[in-house]
């Protein structure tokens, strides 16, 4: 059946309007059935074949497609008569992707069921087993898709709705960049299964609108993760009903967070919440000063919680449980949680045992006479991991400086290392984690850290440097990690996230941040999608980014 209510036609960028939606001319006969049209009919007499100038070259998109097999023909461009056809029906799990593409292309009609595929139409079909709508994928194979432009028709197939979604992003960008897709077949898939952006919303609050605009931006780049660091010394930025006293005046309500999560899920983005501990807790501890860590001299350590205090764990666990419930996940889907674990000041001391004797005593009580503060901190994170796992979280992460070598207690084996720094004294080489059998996510602060105000020898990263000099294998400094190649594949280094940190929150406005991260995000998308050296020069890539 056809869609009874045609969506309004939205404006496309000028390049697309002039080259695509204004096409209305027709020629005599229709072409043969395109590949992939297995569940819908093709009727050569149903409509006249539209005519247009051939789309030439290779598909113009970011990230670039992995494989394109060229064929003879005019390619595909959207016309006013074009429709998006969904054979599986309007209640299928690909219907929302089809509707989004139709809107992106200026308000095309969407039709469902056993419809004739007419010249100029797009057929959208999932080839794998039907799943619940917008469930996060488990690997890169689930994100593959095929696009075939043949005989003035376009066919989009994929094993999952996530793959369909990425195919729609390719169509949208190709129309913006070149007016359409050249004749031939695209076979596309990502190299790294986890690709995303991390936002420090604690030091500098960003609005719901700003966050949602970034979600749409990274989705168009086929990035699939959004990490939200919502608690730090400067603010706790989400409504809490269990501990309203810790919440900053400028914060997101739970209703806003749910809307953000819904949007992210519709864009096939997994949200990774982060409640950092045992450091970076200043906003919480401002209202629980009896739990502040103190030196033997009595000096307070800002932002650090005293993990030897029996009241410390219940406070943090209550917040973890509440926030875990808020950041809900579909049953059976990957459910992420970030424990933080970085920069606990007691472990940055040159004499931790004597400077923090209460921690040493607690470690020895728990782990024997040889117990250390590192053991106690590792045990703290292990216990917090048990808390969120009991709430259904099954993909747990922590920063690399929250992992320690100790014979007494080891970090939970199911916790992924988020490697951000090798600059701080005593930080372990990422090769150690890989040899231990741990998976390591790339947050290399040399390339992927956008720190407002550029403190502590940080510099705003450029898209060009990421594009020309970084790969997911470059975990620390500027050279690939020194381990066998078998340890650097997507199964061990699953990907990377580009991190925005707001250390000097007033150094840039939200609008300046959005402008500053645009090209680095595009470069990250390219380098995590395809492991090969990019075909375009940086200047060509930059120009394409401006068009799409």
């Amino acid at each position: 059946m056809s869609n009874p209510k045609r969506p309004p036609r939205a404006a496309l960028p000028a390049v697309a309007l002039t080259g695509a939606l204004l096409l209305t001319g027709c020629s005599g006969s229709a072409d043969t059935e395109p590949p992939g049209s297995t569940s819908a009919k093709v009727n050569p007499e149903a409509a006249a074949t539209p005519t247009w100038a051939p789309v030439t070259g290779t598909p113009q998109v970011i990230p670039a497609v992995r494989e394109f097999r060229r064929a003879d023909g005019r390619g595909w461009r959207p016309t006013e008569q074009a429709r998006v056809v969904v054979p599986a029906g309007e209640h299928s799990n690909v219907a929302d992707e089809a509707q989004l593409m139709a809107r992106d292309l200026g308000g095309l009609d969407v039709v469902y069921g056993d419809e004739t595929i007419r010249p100029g139409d797009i057929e959208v079909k999932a080839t794998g087993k039907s799943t619940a709508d917008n469930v996060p994928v488990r690997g890169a194979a689930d994100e593959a898709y095929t696009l075939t432009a043949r005989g003035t028709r376009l066919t989009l197939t994929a094993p999952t709705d996530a793959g369909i979604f990425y195919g729609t992003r390719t169509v949208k960008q190709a129309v913006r960049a070149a007016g359409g897709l050249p004749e031939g077949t695209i076979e596309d898939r990502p190299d790294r299964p986890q690709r995303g952006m991390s936002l420090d919303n604690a030091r500098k609050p960003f609005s719901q609108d700003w966050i949602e605009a970034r979600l749409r931006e990274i989705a168009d780049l086929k990035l699939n993760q959004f990490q939200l660091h919502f608690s730090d010394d400067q603010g706790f930025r989400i409504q809490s009903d269990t501990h309203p006293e810790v919440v900053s005046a400028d914060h997101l309500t739970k209703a806003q967070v749910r809307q953000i999560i819904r949007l992210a899920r519709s864009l096939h983005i997994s949200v990774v919440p982060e409640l950092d501990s045992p450091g970076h807790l200043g906003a919480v501890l401002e209202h629980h000063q009896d739990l502040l860590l103190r030196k033997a001299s009595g000096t307070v350590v800002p932002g650090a919680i005293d993990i030897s205090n029996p009241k410390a764990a219940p406070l943090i666990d209550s917040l973890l449980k509440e926030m875990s419930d808020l950041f809900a996940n579909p049953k059976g889907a990957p459910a992420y949680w970030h424990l933080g674990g970085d920069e606990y000041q007691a472990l940055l001391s040159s004499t931790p045992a004597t400077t923090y004797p209460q921690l040493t005593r607690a470690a020895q009580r728990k782990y024997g006479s040889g117990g250390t503060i590192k053991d106690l901190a590792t045990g703290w994170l292990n216990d917090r991991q048990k808390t969120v796992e009991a709430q259904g979280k099954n993909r747990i992460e922590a920063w690399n400086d929250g992992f320690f070598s100790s014979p007494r207690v080891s970090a939970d084996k199911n916790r992924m290392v988020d490697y951000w720094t090798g600059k701080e004294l005593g930080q372990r080489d990422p090769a150690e984690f890989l040899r231990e059998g741990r998976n390591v996510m790339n947050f290399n602060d040399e390339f992927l850290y956008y720190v407002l105000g550029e403190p502590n020898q940080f510099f705003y990263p450029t898209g060009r440097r990421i594009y020309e000099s970084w790969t997911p294998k470059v975990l620390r400094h500027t050279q690939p990690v020194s381990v066998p190649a078998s340890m650097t594949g997507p199964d061990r280094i699953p990907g990377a996230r580009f991190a925005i940190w707001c250390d000097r929150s007033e150094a840039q406005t939200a609008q300046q941040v959005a402008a500053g991260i645009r090209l680095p995000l595009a470069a990250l998308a390219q380098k995590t999608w395809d492991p090969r050296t990019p075909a375009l020069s940086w200047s060509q890539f930059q120009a394409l980014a401006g068009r799409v």
Side-chain angles (χ1 to χ4, degrees):
M1 65 179 177
S2 62
N3 186 2
K5 187 174 182 180
R6 178 174 177 145
R9 294 194 180 277
L12 277 178
V15 64
L17 277 172
T18 57
L21 289 183
L22 296 184
L23 295 168
T24 58
C26 296
S27 68
S29 61
D31 295 301
T32 57
E33 178 175 349
S37 296
T38 58
S39 61
K41 299 175 291 185
V42 174
N43 181 356
E45 304 304 324
T49 303
T51 61
W52 48 66
V55 183
T56 60
T58 59
Q60 298 292 297
V61 296
I62 295 175
V65 301
R66 297 281 293 275
E67 181 182 351
F68 174 61
R69 298 190 298 276
R70 192 183 311 277
D72 292 333
R74 290 171 290 158
W76 179 89
R77 297 179 187 266
T79 67
E80 290 186 351
Q81 291 76 34
R83 305 170 307 159
V84 180
V85 182
V86 185
E90 61 185 317
H91 301 297
S92 66
N93 68 340
V94 299
D96 55 337
E97 282 77 28
Q99 292 159 5
L100 176 62
M101 178 167 59
R103 291 194 298 271
D104 287 339
L105 297 177
L108 303 185
D109 279 342
V110 183
V111 295
Y112 305 97
D114 191 23
E115 285 281 334
T116 296
I117 305 299
R118 304 190 313 214
D121 282 351
I122 311 170
E123 182 185 11
V124 176
K125 184 185 176 189
T127 57
K129 183 179 178 181
S130 180
T131 61
D133 197 26
N134 301 329
V135 172
V137 298
R138 293 186 173 275
D142 291 335
E143 297 177 302
Y145 68 92
T146 300
L147 267 169
T148 298
R150 182 178 177 185
T152 74
R153 302 178 183 89
L154 189 64
T155 305
L156 168 57
T157 61
T160 68
D161 57 344
I164 293 292
F165 177 74
Y166 292 131
T168 71
R169 301 305 84 198
T170 292
V171 174
K172 175 183 178 181
Q173 286 197 25
V175 169
R176 285 184 169 183
L181 287 158
E183 194 89 356
T185 298
I186 294 168
E187 296 279 358
D188 204 13
R189 66 198 182 282
D191 175 48
R192 304 288 159 159
Q194 299 185 36
R195 314 170 300 279
M197 182 186 91
S198 176
L199 177 67
D200 173 10
N201 198 47
R203 294 180 178 90
K204 182 182 183 69
F206 292 85
S207 69
Q208 177 186 355
D209 287 346
W210 191 94
I211 292 172
E212 290 184 346
R214 301 289 77 69
L215 290 175
R216 294 185 177 95
E217 177 181 355
I218 67 175
D220 279 356
L221 293 169
K222 302 185 178 75
L223 301 178
N224 63 5
Q225 291 185 332
F226 173 64
Q227 181 174 328
L228 186 63
H229 178 87
F230 61 85
S231 172
D232 211 302
D233 295 344
Q234 294 79 4
F236 190 101
R237 302 291 179 184
I238 295 178
Q239 172 190 347
S240 170
D241 300 320
T242 61
H243 290 283
E245 74 281 359
V246 308
V247 180
S248 302
D250 194 341
H251 66 271
L252 297 169
T253 67
K254 287 186 175 181
Q256 289 176 311
V257 171
R258 292 187 185 101
Q259 289 169 355
I260 289 168
I261 294 169
R262 280 196 297 272
L263 175 63
R265 189 171 299 158
S266 75
L267 298 171
H268 297 274
I269 294 170
S270 294
V271 178
V272 185
E274 181 191 354
L275 203 171
D276 204 343
S277 79
H280 294 282
L281 282 169
V284 171
L285 295 176
E286 182 181 351
H287 305 276
H288 296 270
Q289 298 196 13
D290 57 317
L291 300 181
L292 279 162
L293 179 64
R294 287 175 167 80
K295 298 180 180 180
S297 63
T299 303
V300 168
V301 181
I305 197 166
D306 184 348
I307 58 177
S308 70
N309 191 314
K311 296 180 181 179
L315 171 64
I316 302 306
D317 281 348
S318 64
L319 287 168
L320 286 171
K321 291 174 182 176
E322 181 182 12
M323 294 299 141
S324 293
D325 287 343
L326 174 62
F327 288 90
N329 301 88
K331 186 177 181 179
Y336 294 89
W337 194 272
H338 202 297
L339 297 170
D342 61 311
E343 298 181 318
Y344 188 47
Q345 292 301 309
L347 295 170
L348 300 179
S349 169
S350 58
T351 56
T354 55
T355 303
Y356 303 97
Q358 76 278 33
L359 298 183
T360 301
R361 290 192 297 269
Q364 292 173 348
R365 285 195 302 270
K366 189 170 184 179
Y367 300 110
S369 59
T372 66
I373 297 176
K374 286 184 177 180
D375 294 321
L376 195 66
T378 299
W380 168 272
L381 281 187
N382 286 348
D383 289 342
R384 306 293 76 75
Q385 179 164 341
K386 291 175 184 175
T387 297
V388 295
E389 286 177 336
Q391 303 300 117
K393 306 305 178 187
N394 54 29
R395 300 285 183 92
I396 312 301
E397 307 175 13
W399 299 112
N400 64 284
D401 46 340
F403 291 79
F404 311 104
S405 298
S406 171
R408 298 275 171 172
V409 58
S410 298
D412 190 289
K413 62 182 178 61
N414 293 320
R415 187 182 313 152
M416 185 162 69
V417 180
D418 286 354
Y419 202 96
W420 71 278
T421 184
K423 297 176 180 176
E424 294 188 355
L425 183 66
Q427 290 312 313
R428 299 171 66 192
D429 191 291
E432 292 184 36
F433 296 118
L434 291 167
R435 292 192 180 102
E436 288 175 4
R438 294 190 182 276
N439 293 345
V440 180
M441 176 68 82
N442 195 321
F443 276 85
N444 188 338
D445 63 354
E446 183 77 22
F447 293 91
L448 307 180
Y449 259 39
Y450 192 95
V451 185
L452 297 198
E454 301 181 305
N456 304 320
Q457 298 182 322
F458 281 109
F459 299 95
Y460 291 127
T462 66
R464 180 170 190 165
R465 192 158 180 250
I466 296 169
Y467 190 77
E468 295 180 341
S469 303
W470 175 87
T471 77
K473 298 177 184 180
V474 181
L475 288 164
R476 182 185 194 185
H477 303 321
T478 60
Q479 298 300 315
V481 61
S482 182
V483 293
S486 61
M487 295 184 185
T488 62
D491 59 326
R492 301 299 311 282
I493 304 175
R497 292 187 207 126
F498 183 86
I500 300 103
W501 295 104
C502 303
D503 291 41
R504 296 177 180 169
S505 61
E506 300 306 315
Q508 288 191 342
T509 66
Q511 291 73 22
Q512 288 172 322
V513 173
I517 65 177
R518 186 179 69 86
L519 286 173
L521 284 171
L524 177 80
Q526 177 61 47
K527 299 302 286 288
T528 52
W529 190 266
D530 191 337
R532 298 170 297 186
T533 301
L536 299 181
S537 68
W538 169 250
S539 60
Q540 292 170 326
F541 182 85
Q542 187 176 20
L544 178 59
R547 295 199 302 274
V548 304

